[in-house]
Each structure stands twice: as structure tokens, then as C-alpha cells.
Amino acid sequence: MKFNFDRIIDRRNTHSYKWDQSGKLFGSEDIMPLWVADMDFESPPAVKEALVRRAELGIYGYSIKSNTYVEAIVRWFERRHHWTLRPEWTTDSPGIVTSLSLAVELYSEPGSQVILQSPVYYPFYDVIRMNGREVAKNPLILRDGRYEMDYAHLEELMRGGAKLLLLCSPHNPGGRIWDREELLRLGELCLRHGVTVISDEIHCDLALPGHTHVPFASLSEELANITLTCLAPTKTFNLPGIQSSFIVASNPDIKRKFDMRMKTLSLHMTNFFVPDAVQAAYNEGDEWLDELLQYIDGNVEYAIRYLSEHLPQIEVMRPDGTYLLWLDCRGLRLDVKGLKKLMFEEARVAFSEGSVFGTEAEGYLRINLACPRSLLQEALERFCTAAAAYAVK
């Protein structure tokens, strides 16, 4: 490989949300954090160079985004996803969760039901409840080790009055990439019942070899007209700290309403570093990303093999995409408190505990695989050794 993803980078004492909170969150500084979804890899060299050049200007004033920045976004989605965007369909946002929260506020009524498909990325619950709406759960069906949508129950919720759906595509934490037929069937229900779709596609670039992400709004003009898509380069290129995100909405009414709220909250200004970093990533990051996906796929294979050999009580959901691995640990016969004790006290590792993604995920854990393989190996060794000893107690 041209890029060295095996290199260990010490992130402690760098104000790292992931690495500098182990004592506060988990009770010990000696805990390996493979939980929150950022990578332990450097961003592409072109991004680092662009940020250094920008920082060297020395004056960090109010900034604007250029046409070349928007063109880089458009070209990326045409090149990588065969999705033709128009520049006027895009609006920048500080982050995906910000966009999700604004969308719930703007496209649903107070007290109304908003559909999510559990288990799912935990801020989905927050943006619904904290905006004074009700969570309408459409639990995913686990079949043959993969999640599937429950269309019959989904239609019941829509008939019951739910008019907004938060779609997680690709799915976090399960790593499912919904195929075209699944999305078309979902879209048919939404069109039939007048449901607006907010599609969180932040992991869209992280389809693993053999899989292809299909943007929901790319399926048809009719579906694009009912969809607001939330996107970002942050998961793709490990840029969450610069808070870069954008939405795509071809429906002018949906777009106008979102833009007005952004300006009302004064969230419309451009971050000084974002345009240059994003432009460098989308224009020069293809080769880096292709190698990253190969490396992540190798980590997936390594983790599945290791767990099957050393802790066969755990069932692993093989991901289609993302760098997240979803583990069914119910075979360990531990409750939520027991799983946390196993991780934090016995194994000294921090994975994401499943119940935060929904009650359906109690007994599950999520591992962030976006790290050098040696770190992954150590974390798995710690966990499996501790689990074996814990079972004997």
C-alpha cells in the first residue's frame, strides 16, 4: 500500500474526545478506546497540506465558500456514486446531527410521531425527543445474521399518522448497505403515505469491497422530491473535528425552509478551514480512500476470525460498509451492567455498549475497526481473555 495504516499515532493529550476521556467516562486511563466513530489514521496528505497552507495565512477571518468547493462535492458524488447533483441543491451545516435536529423541527409537528428504525445511531432518539416529538420505532428484523426492514410495521406507523422518517443509510450500528430494491420498496411506502425522508448517509463512501451504496434520493426524481439527504466528508476522511457537513435537497420548498432556519440560527457562515480541507479531500482523496477500504476490510476479516476462534459465544454481523462491527454478545449471558464491567474493569477496553442504540440492542457491542491492526489485535485479546476468565467466576 502507498499509505501506511499500520502506523501508531499517539493521540493522548491532544484534546481527543476519543482518547482523553477514558478516566472520566470509563473509570481508568488504561482503557483502549474503540468506541466513538473517528479513525486512528491520519487524513489524506492532500488534506493535511491544505490545512497547513490555510493555517499559515495567520489571519483567520470571516470566510466564504468558493465555486470550486461546491464543484468538488458535485464531482465526487458523480464519480463515486453516479449521483448528479446541482450546486444549488446543497447547503452547508456544522454537522449531521445538527441537520437531523433541524429537519425534525422543520418537517414535523410538535407532539407528532417520527419514525426511526432501531437499533440505530443514538442521536436519532435525541433529536426526536428533544424537539418535542415522539419516537415511532420500526424495529429492524434480524434474519440470517443481517438486518432487514419490517415493511408491514412501517406501513402501520405511516397509516397511524407518522409523516417523517429518519433513515440511516448505510446503517449504523449494523453496517447494512440497503440495496436498490429495499430502498425502492421503502420509497413506495413513503410516496403512498406522504412521508418525508431525512436520509443520514454520512457513511456512504465507506462501502466495503463487493458492496455499493445507493443514495436514496438518486433512485428517482419523485423520491428526491420528498428527501433531504445529510452528508459529510468527516467519516470518509477522518475530519470530524473541523465540523464539515452539508445537506442535499432538490425540492425548493424543503431547501428554502432549511436555509431560512440555518440563517435564523446564524449557522450559515463558513468555517475558515472547511472549504480547503473538503476540496482537497474530494479532489485528491480517491486513492487514499480506496486503500483505506481495503485495510478496513482486512480488519473486518481479522476481527471475525479472531472472535470466532477465541470467543465463539459471540455472533458477529458482517458489515457491508462503515468501519463498525456489531457483536451479538447475548451468548455471554451478561446484562448491560455486566457487559460494562467486563469491558471497563476486566478487559480495560471501551467498545460502544448496545443499549444506547435502542432496547432491541441490549446485549450487543459495537467496535470501531478504524485503527491500526495491532491496536485491534490488542483490544480483542484483552476482551476475549477477560471474557473467558469472567465466565469462570
Side-chain angles (χ1 to χ4, degrees):
M1 283 189 173
K2 178 179 178 180
F3 304 99
N4 183 10
F5 296 107
D6 285 320
R7 184 164 72 91
I8 303 294
I9 300 171
D10 186 1
R11 299 179 62 193
R12 295 186 188 277
N13 302 312
T14 63
H15 312 299
S16 169
Y17 186 80
K18 181 179 183 179
W19 283 88
D20 288 333
Q21 296 194 99
S22 291
K24 175 183 177 182
L25 297 178
F26 311 120
S28 172
E29 298 296 338
D30 184 34
I31 284 179
M32 290 189 65
L34 275 69
W35 60 289
V36 67
D38 75 359
M39 305 188 208
D40 291 314
F41 308 128
E42 275 197 345
S43 296
V47 173
K48 185 175 180 179
E49 292 163 9
L51 287 170
V52 169
R53 285 195 302 269
R54 189 73 170 147
E56 285 178 341
L57 291 175
I59 297 176
Y60 311 119
Y62 293 119
S63 302
I64 59 173
K65 62 181 183 181
S66 64
N67 291 335
T68 54
Y69 160 75
V70 181
E71 289 166 2
I73 294 173
V74 171
R75 285 196 302 269
W76 177 265
F77 282 89
E78 180 69 54
R79 185 168 71 251
R80 303 290 298 200
H81 299 286
H82 310 293
W83 185 19
T84 302
L85 306 180
R86 294 181 185 172
E88 63 269 22
W89 294 351
T90 68
T91 295
D92 284 0
S93 166
I96 295 284
V97 177
T98 300
S99 297
L100 293 173
S101 184
L102 291 176
V104 170
E105 178 190 12
L106 293 170
Y107 310 118
S108 67
E109 298 298 324
S112 65
Q113 292 191 329
V114 178
I115 301 170
L116 57 72
Q117 296 175 298
S118 55
V120 73
Y121 181 49
Y122 54 88
F124 276 39
Y125 297 91
D126 294 340
V127 300
I128 295 172
R129 291 172 177 150
M130 295 176 76
N131 274 299
R133 276 65 168 172
E134 294 185 10
V135 172
K137 278 191 180 183
N138 172 229
L140 297 170
I141 299 170
L142 182 60
R143 182 174 288 124
D144 298 327
R146 288 165 64 80
Y147 283 130
E148 297 180 2
M149 296 189 192
D150 187 340
Y151 295 100
H153 180 251
L154 190 58
E155 188 162 24
E156 285 181 21
L157 294 174
M158 293 177 180
R159 283 177 175 162
K163 297 297 180 185
L164 188 67
L165 165 69
L166 302 187
L167 174 66
C168 193
S169 178
H171 181 256
N172 174 10
R176 264 304 313 274
I177 291 182
W178 309 112
D179 62 38
R180 182 176 297 272
E181 289 69 27
E182 289 174 305
L183 293 173
L184 283 171
R185 187 174 177 187
L186 173 67
E188 180 185 356
L189 289 177
C190 294
L191 289 169
R192 185 187 309 162
H193 296 284
V195 173
T196 300
V197 178
I198 311 302
S199 189
D200 172 2
E201 303 191 16
I202 192 172
H203 293 277
C204 67
D205 297 317
L206 298 170
L208 295 173
H211 300 279
T212 302
H213 172 76
V214 179
F216 184 74
S218 73
L219 290 167
S220 70
E221 185 175 343
E222 197 175 17
L223 289 176
N225 196 52
I226 63 167
T227 303
L228 182 143
T229 306
C230 302
L231 297 161
T234 51
K235 289 290 184 278
T236 309
F237 299 107
N238 203 24
L239 304 172
I242 69 167
Q243 295 188 300
S244 168
S245 174
F246 52 95
I247 62 96
V248 173
S250 59
N251 183 320
D253 292 331
I254 290 176
K255 176 74 160 44
R256 190 179 305 112
K257 187 177 286 191
F258 189 90
D259 289 353
M260 178 62 73
R261 191 62 177 148
M262 288 288 291
K263 190 168 184 180
T264 300
L265 297 172
S266 194
L267 296 174
H268 62 294
M269 294 297 291
T270 300
N271 177 290
F272 181 83
F273 291 99
V274 163
D276 287 40
V278 173
Q279 192 169 318
Y282 281 154
N283 287 342
E284 304 177 64
D286 290 79
E287 185 180 11
W288 181 91
L289 177 58
D290 291 340
E291 289 197 5
L292 170 77
L293 293 173
Q294 291 179 43
Y295 192 88
I296 295 296
D297 196 48
N299 275 358
V300 170
E301 294 295 337
Y302 176 84
I304 290 176
R305 184 173 62 253
Y306 190 94
L307 289 166
S308 68
E309 292 176 1
H310 295 88
L311 204 58
Q313 304 96 309
I314 289 180
E315 295 183 20
V316 182
M317 185 176 291
R318 180 181 290 274
D320 304 331
T322 79
Y323 48 72
L324 307 169
L325 193 67
W326 192 228
L327 310 183
D328 182 349
C329 300
R330 290 175 294 179
L332 298 178
R333 302 184 183 280
L334 298 173
D335 59 13
V336 170
K337 184 177 180 180
L339 274 178
K340 288 182 177 180
K341 179 177 173 61
L342 171 60
M343 285 192 292
F344 308 148
E345 297 180 25
E346 307 292 335
R348 303 185 329 281
V349 297
F351 307 144
S352 294
E353 188 275 312
S355 67
V356 300
F357 300 93
T359 55
E360 301 82 5
E362 290 185 7
Y364 284 74
L365 296 174
R366 191 193 75 175
I367 302 180
N368 178 350
L369 300 177
C371 62
R373 196 155 303 153
S374 60
L375 291 184
L376 176 61
Q377 178 181 352
E378 183 178 348
L380 292 175
E381 287 175 354
R382 287 189 185 191
F383 183 71
C384 291
T385 300
Y390 202 55
V392 174
K393 291 182 179 180

